[in-house]
Every structure is written in structure tokens, then in C-alpha cells.
Amino acid sequence: MRPDVAVAVEQKTGRDHLNIHGALDLETGQTQMLLVDRVDAASTIALLGAIERQFPAMRRVHVFVDN
């Protein structure tokens, strides 16, 4: 981005990373986000566990994974 344009999340250089695992309830707009050191299988399992704890009565959850 150009320096004069405001952004919601501070930009990082190619050497710095901001890893956010997140989920969005499309019906309510409620979010669940985890800041993690690495995006990997363990952090994905942690996110899915957080979703399961937040919505214990849900029988089905659709997961879309990007990248």
C-alpha cells in the first residue's frame, strides 16, 4: 500500500509474519480468531476445537480452507 493510505492491519515486511486463524459464522457474523506462531495442523486443530466449544449444539460445520 502507499504510505498515505490507512490500513486496518499494520503491514509487515517479507521477513515478518502475522498468522491469524479465523472463522466466521455466516448467519450471525460472530467470529472466532486465534493468533498463532505458525499456521499448521496443530493450530488448525486448535481453531476447530475452539469452534466446537463455541457452538456445542451444531451438528454440521462447513469449513473452507484457503492457501
Side-chain angles (χ1 to χ4, degrees):
M1 293 296 298
R2 296 186 337 243
D4 60 325
V5 175
V7 293
V9 177
E10 180 182 341
Q11 294 179 356
K12 301 291 184 175
T13 67
R15 296 176 190 264
D16 296 326
H17 297 279
L18 177 64
N19 296 317
I20 302 172
H21 255 329
L24 170 66
D25 182 334
L26 295 176
E27 293 179 4
T28 66
Q30 189 174 11
T31 60
Q32 177 73 291
M33 292 195 294
L34 301 175
L35 292 174
V36 295
D37 292 328
R38 292 179 48 131
V39 175
D40 57 13
S43 63
T44 301
I45 291 168
L47 175 64
L48 295 173
I51 293 168
E52 186 176 35
R53 287 188 297 280
Q54 187 172 355
F55 303 102
M58 289 297 218
R59 293 178 46 193
R60 183 177 295 166
V61 175
H62 297 271
V63 178
F64 299 91
V65 180
D66 181 24
N67 196 10

